[in-house]
């Protein structure tokens, strides 16, 4: 498991670094004329292409070694499917956010209903549960759905993308339980550590150095978590295919 995990992490980190560089270039590209607008559009396409290649490499690292050229070519060919799965994931994320916003806007009515129906004086746990479900949908279900659909496309083309069987396999309780473990333990909790303010540091080069080192460490741990999610999804599809 060590070699596939390391290869998957490398693909994710390399993709993140390249996308960050392209995004930085995009921010500083003026849109004063048509040629600059075209350059900005090309940078957006380049970011999507790099993300597709990175996701392809991170998923296929778990199924056996492949050369860099073949992974790049496969990732570029899979770009339309990657964009489609990205849009589906964004739709799931948006639906969860809208649902959470709806409960906040109607919190008074919801509280009154629980009090009248169940005689609950304190319904704070209900709203904490809603926030927990929203977090789970956005940070666990969304990446599992997107990665599962994309892995299905890499495995079987259009049939793997639109067929219900592939998505049903990656939404199995075992897969969701493992994905929840990886995302909470290696992504969500380290991010809480990264956003915690540091105190007592001298206002010299030491403070930005420590902050940068902490962010790099959190990024590495998060990449390991995402790589493990990729491995969980990919190995589930591989086992089902071989069964």
């Amino acid at each position: 498991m060590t070699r596939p995990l390391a290869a998957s992490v490398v693909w994710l980190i390399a993709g993140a670094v390249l996308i960050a560089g392209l995004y930085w270039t995009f921010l500083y590209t003026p849109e004063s004329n048509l040629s600059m607008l075209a350059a900005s559009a090309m940078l957006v396409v380049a970011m999507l292409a790099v993300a597709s290649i990175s996701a392809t490499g991170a998923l296929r690292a778990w199924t056996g070694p492949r050369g860099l050229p073949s992974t790049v070519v496969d990732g570029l060919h899979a770009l339309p499917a990657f964009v489609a799965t990205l849009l589906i994931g964004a739709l799931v994320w948006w639906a969860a956010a809208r649902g959470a916003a709806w409960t906040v806007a109607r919190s008074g009515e919801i509280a009154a209903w629980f009090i009248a129906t169940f005689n609950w004086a304190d319904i704070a746990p209900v709203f904490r549960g809603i926030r927990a479900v929203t977090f789970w949908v956005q940070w666990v279900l969304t990446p599992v759905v997107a990665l599962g659909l994309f892995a299905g496309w890499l495995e079987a083309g259009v049939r793997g993308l639109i067929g219900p069987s592939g998505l049903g396999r990656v939404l199995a309780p075992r897969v969701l339980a493992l994905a929840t473990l990886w995302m909470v333990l290696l992504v969500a909790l380290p991010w809480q550590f990264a956003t915690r303010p540091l105190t007592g540091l001298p206002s010299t080069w030491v403070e930005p150095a420590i902050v940068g080192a902490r962010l790099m460490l959190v990024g590495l741990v998060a990449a390991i978590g995402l790589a493990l999610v990729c491995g969980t999804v990919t190995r589930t599809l591989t086992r089902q295919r071989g069964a």
Side-chain angles (χ1 to χ4, degrees):
M1 181 179 177
T2 304
R3 291 184 62 184
L5 175 60
S8 186
V9 169
V10 168
W11 277 108
L12 290 172
I13 291 178
V17 170
L18 288 175
I19 291 171
L22 291 169
Y23 182 69
W24 186 267
T25 305
F26 173 80
L27 290 179
Y28 284 89
T29 300
E31 299 178 351
S32 54
N33 52 52
L34 189 60
S35 61
M36 290 295 98
L37 285 173
S40 296
M42 290 299 295
L43 286 171
V44 172
V45 173
M47 283 187 279
L48 290 172
V50 170
S52 179
I53 294 169
S54 177
T56 300
L59 288 165
R60 288 193 164 173
W62 295 92
T63 60
R66 282 180 171 82
L68 177 62
S70 62
T71 302
V72 171
V73 171
D74 290 345
L76 291 175
H77 286 165
L79 180 57
F82 177 80
V83 173
T85 57
L86 194 65
L87 291 175
I88 293 171
L91 181 61
V92 175
W93 180 286
W94 175 84
R98 290 295 299 171
W102 184 88
T103 59
V104 170
R106 290 165 174 78
S107 58
E109 301 172 25
I110 296 172
W113 183 85
F114 272 96
I115 292 172
T117 305
F118 302 104
N119 196 26
W120 289 1
D122 182 15
I123 66 162
V126 174
F127 290 106
R128 285 197 294 268
I130 291 173
R131 288 194 295 270
V133 170
T134 302
F135 171 86
W136 182 82
V137 170
Q138 291 182 323
W139 290 99
V140 178
L141 186 63
T142 295
V144 167
V145 168
L147 286 171
L149 289 172
F150 189 58
W153 191 93
L154 291 173
E155 177 191 8
V158 177
R159 288 189 300 106
L161 180 60
I162 65 177
S165 59
L167 184 58
R169 290 179 302 207
V170 299
L171 293 182
R174 176 183 176 277
V175 175
L176 292 178
L178 284 174
T180 301
L181 175 65
W182 305 139
M183 294 300 290
V184 171
L185 193 63
L186 299 177
V187 178
L189 292 181
W191 180 248
Q192 295 296 320
F193 168 74
T195 56
R196 185 176 302 171
L198 294 173
T199 57
L201 294 177
S203 300
T204 60
W205 61 269
V206 175
E207 183 175 2
I210 292 179
V211 171
R214 184 172 69 168
L215 288 175
M216 290 177 61
L217 177 61
V218 170
L220 174 60
V221 173
I224 293 173
L226 290 173
L228 287 169
V229 174
C230 289
T232 302
V233 170
T234 302
R235 290 187 168 184
T236 298
L237 291 172
T238 303
R239 281 195 300 267
Q240 291 290 340
R241 181 180 58 185

